[in-house]
């Protein structure tokens, strides 16, 4: 029997008020259950919001360096637990052990980074036009916030939201993805262990419509930070618009890698294989389009196929496995249906294209690494996020056309170019409509000290991580002190 876990509300572990539960399963072996979790509803969300509201006043007055100290302590705990948690992460969401480790490391790195923010959190001093008047800006926490996360980075993404919320002085309700409730619970337990005051971080498990939507709707929640699908993000954006809430969205993409004839082919092939197939393509920065110059195409294609053909698909716990399962049966069907769409549109499957069903694959969600050729920019498989081990090659004749193709999608998260030509490099840097641009590096593998987020439908202008991380959770307050002993009127009025 798998262990039963609970919600964390106001510093207490409690079941869902309706008593319902759901299980978390291993995508490599769906009959292995990692735990049973509360299936929460609006009632549970309301209890969590009340707890967050109750804790807010005291918390926002706690000095920022003191708030930040909890982050540092959690980082140190995670360092001790990285091996144990990586294995649990691989069992809960499938990706390889190395990648699970990287996910937790990213969380640790960001906790360290945000812990430092507690002693920065700078504002500005600005001159006044009047004598005896002093002006400055200070940051102010936005209040109670809702954090809704996906399953592909079960520690890193929640950390990207929880850490800045905490250091900012916000109190929060965290609703993790229903596919990765175990890792979310472990993370919240770590905050409990280091003594974070009750109500500052509340955990409500459950499904999107039952437990996510009530957070968005709750009148006392001032801001929503969401990472997930465009479809849900658009809905949240509309609701937050109507309710006058701040909302920051990170909604995936249709990322691209451009390969020019002067590219170092060893590096370009490896970057494409890693960018397209790490986490089985289930990264918002996954390389799902390869725009390859005619002068490089035959060599690049041949070498990529050799590389992909040698990938072992299997359980992410096995050390030589490169391609792990996709998260659940629904996603598997979704990815397979996109492969059919690609074939119907006239793209040619060069390798892969099928579900794996034989020995070792019976109980999991395994799909072969799939590469299409003859993909054209207007095809659905070149426009829509597939979120699986599928990529495709689009041919091009010059860098300007390559950039036009790269930009011809509604998303704009991550783009890469492989070239050594300085003109190509600067055209890419200045013209690509993507929030993250790499030169001679893969589209995946963002570092936490840089802002993360995208243009167009990838989001709504906010950035996570980097020096911008606090902006999601803080307001700017303009403060002026008049010590002139007079009532002074600005703009020359006397
Ligand atoms: P999703 O967008 O449905 O789920 C993400 C989170 O939102 C989960 O915590 C979910 O419970 C919550 N949610 C769902 N409906 C909600 C609602 N009405 N109100 C509030 N919260 C809600 O993503 P899902 O179903 O896991 O994956 C579907 C597709 O989304 C993927 O194939 C992929 O294209 C995209 N996706 C993109 C991600 C990224 O990193 N950008 C991450 C996960 C999914
Ligand atoms: Mg969904």
């Amino acid at each position: 029997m798998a262990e039963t876990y609970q919600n964390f509300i106001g510093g207490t572990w409690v079941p869902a008020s309706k008593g319902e539960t759901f299980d978390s399963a291993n995508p490599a072996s769906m009959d292995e259950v990692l735990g049973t979790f509360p299936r929460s509803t609006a009632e549970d969300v309301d209890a969590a919001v009340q707890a967050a509201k109750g804790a807010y006043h005291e918390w926002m007055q706690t000095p920022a360096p003191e708030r930040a100290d909890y982050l540092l302590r959690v980082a140190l705990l995670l360092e001790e637990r990285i091996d144990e948690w990586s294995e649990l992460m691989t069992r809960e969401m499938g990706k390889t052990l190395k990648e699970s480790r990287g996910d937790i490391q990213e969380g640790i790195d960001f906790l360290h980074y945000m812990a430092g923010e507690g002693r920065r959190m700078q504002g500005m001093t600005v001159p006044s036009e009047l004598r005896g008047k002093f002006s400055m800006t200070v940051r102010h926490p936005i209040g109670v916030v809702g954090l809704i996360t996906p399953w592909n980075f079960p520690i890193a993404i929640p950390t990207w939201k929880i850490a800045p919320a905490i250091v900012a002085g916000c109190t929060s309700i965290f609703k993790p993805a229903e596919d990765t409730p175990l890792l979310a619970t472990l993370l919240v337990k770590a905050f409990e262990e280091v003594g974070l005051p009750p109500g500052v971080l509340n955990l409500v498990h459950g499904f999107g419509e039952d437990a996510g939507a009530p957070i968005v709707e709750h009148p006392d929640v001032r801001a929503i930070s969401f990472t997930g699908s465009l479809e849900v993000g658009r809905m949240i954006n509309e609701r937050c618009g109507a309710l006058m809430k701040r909302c920051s969205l990170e909604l995936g993409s249709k990322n691209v890698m451009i390969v020019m004839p002067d590219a170092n082919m060893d590096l370009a092939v490896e970057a494409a294989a890693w960018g397209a197939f790490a986490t089985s393509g289930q990264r918002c920065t996954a390389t799902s389009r390869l725009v390859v110059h005619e002068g490089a195409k035959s060599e690049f294609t041949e070498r990529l196929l050799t590389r992909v053909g040698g990938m072992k698909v299997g359980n992410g716990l096995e050390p030589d496995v490169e391609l792990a399962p996709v998260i659940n049966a629904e996603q598997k069907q979704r990815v397979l249906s996109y492969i059919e769409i690609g074939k119907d549109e006239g793209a040619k499957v060069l390798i892969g294209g099928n579900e794996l069903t034989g020995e070792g694959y019976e109980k999991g969600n395994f799909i072969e690494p799939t590469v299409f050729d003859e993909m054209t920019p207007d095809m659905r498989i070149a426009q829509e996020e597939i979120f699986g081990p599928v990529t495709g090659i689009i041919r091009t004749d010059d860098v300007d056309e390559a950039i036009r193709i790269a930009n011809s999608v509604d998303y704009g998260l991550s783009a890469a170019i492989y070239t050594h030509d300085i003109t190509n490099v600067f055209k890419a840097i200045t013209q690509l409509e993507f929030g993250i641009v790499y030169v001679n590096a893969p589209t995946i593998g963002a570092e936490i000290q840089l802002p993360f987020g995208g243009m167009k439908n990838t989001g709504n202008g906010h950035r996570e991580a980097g020096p911008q991380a606090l902006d999601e959770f803080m307001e700017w307050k303009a403060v002026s002190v008049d010590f002139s002993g007079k009532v002074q009127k600005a703009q020359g009025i006397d």
Side-chain angles (χ1 to χ4, degrees), residues 219-286:
D220 292 325
V221 174
R222 298 258 179 85
I224 298 290
S225 177
F226 172 82
T227 302
S229 62
L230 173 60
E231 182 196 3
V232 174
R234 178 176 277 134
M235 226 155 60
I236 291 178
N237 204 21
E238 283 171 10
R239 289 306 298 152
C240 286
L243 296 166
M244 298 296 291
K245 290 186 190 194
R246 185 184 297 181
C247 144
S248 72
L249 306 168
E250 205 284 286
L251 309 177
S253 185
K254 196 69 191 172
N255 310 297
V256 63
M257 183 176 134
I258 298 170
V259 183
M260 298 305 289
D262 67 328
N264 177 322
M265 222 36 82
D266 293 336
L267 306 189
V269 167
E270 191 52 34
W274 170 242
F277 299 113
T279 320
S280 306
Q282 303 170 116
R283 293 200 191 198
C284 42
T285 51

Side-chain angles (χ1 to χ4, degrees), residues 409-427:
V409 292
D410 289 334
Y411 292 103
L413 185 54
S414 184
I417 185 165
Y418 273 76
T419 183
H420 290 279
D421 178 310
I422 197 82
T423 304
N424 294 344
V425 168
F426 277 91
K427 279 186 173 176

